[in-house]
Amino acid sequence: FSSGWGLVRINVRAPEQVVFACLQDFQRYPSMISAIRAAEVHRAAGSAVRCSYRITKLWLEVPTVHQVEPTQGRVTFDIDPAATGLVLREASGFWQVRSNRGNPVESRVVFRVFAHASDLMPNWLVEYGARKCLKRATAWLKPYAEQLWTMQRRTER
């Protein structure tokens, strides 16, 4: 077991555009996601955005390429294949945001990821990391987007 898929679905009490804005605000990820210590946006060309993130207490660098697809409500990510190393050989996935049909101020978010760990990583560590990372990758979005939506509604009054 050195590779696999993960999937998480969450409902967020905020409109689709608010949730999507959070997902594509790459520079602010450190203030939104506890595992990300620093973020640099290197360049954007069309829908592609190249970023470098420093994660965990070890400040591991994760160079990432995002594709922002507003009409699809999708933000994809791929770890730069030229930069993979000791921990990950490959990681890719997407965030998909859709308005909840019954409630336009609620969104349904799907997060799907594929990861392939380095052969140097022991299986127990890969399994532990997969469980922990999937939770961390999604736990931040709901409270952050809901708080942002609450603040936006207050300023509109």
Side-chain angles (χ1 to χ4, degrees):
F1 171 80
S2 65
S3 66
W5 284 96
L7 176 75
V8 176
R9 290 184 184 101
I10 58 174
N11 290 326
V12 180
R13 287 188 206 112
E16 182 179 356
Q17 65 271 19
V18 171
V19 177
F20 194 73
C22 293
L23 291 172
Q24 64 179 328
D25 194 356
F26 308 118
Q27 191 70 44
R28 296 195 60 213
Y29 273 17
S31 67
M32 293 186 263
I33 307 168
S34 64
I36 296 182
R37 307 292 190 219
E40 282 183 50
V41 177
H42 296 293
R43 69 175 190 266
S47 65
V49 182
R50 290 193 172 277
C51 301
S52 287
Y53 301 109
R54 294 284 179 171
I55 62 169
T56 74
K57 294 174 186 166
L58 300 175
W59 282 73
L60 299 171
E61 184 176 8
V62 181
T64 305
V65 178
H66 293 283
Q67 293 287 331
V68 178
E69 304 167 5
T71 58
Q72 312 297 319
R74 184 184 291 226
V75 175
T76 66
F77 62 90
D78 293 286
I79 290 182
D80 187 343
T84 58
L86 294 176
V87 177
L88 286 173
R89 293 176 70 189
E90 179 183 358
S92 61
F94 64 86
W95 293 93
Q96 181 83 48
V97 184
R98 294 276 187 240
S99 183
N100 184 338
R101 291 182 209 154
N103 185 354
V105 294
E106 185 173 290
S107 300
R108 186 73 185 278
V109 182
V110 174
F111 174 71
R112 183 162 174 134
V113 63
F114 172 79
H116 184 182
S118 166
D119 293 337
L120 300 174
M121 299 293 291
N123 284 342
W124 68 267
L125 187 55
V126 172
E127 289 176 21
Y128 171 78
R131 283 192 307 274
K132 195 124 174 121
C133 289
L134 202 53
K135 281 184 183 178
R136 281 189 174 175
T138 57
W140 66 275
L141 182 59
K142 181 178 175 64
Y144 191 87
E146 289 177 357
Q147 180 181 21
L148 182 60
W149 174 236
T150 299
M151 290 170 38
Q152 286 180 1
R153 285 186 314 189
R154 283 186 190 146
T155 59
E156 291 173 358
R157 293 179 189 168

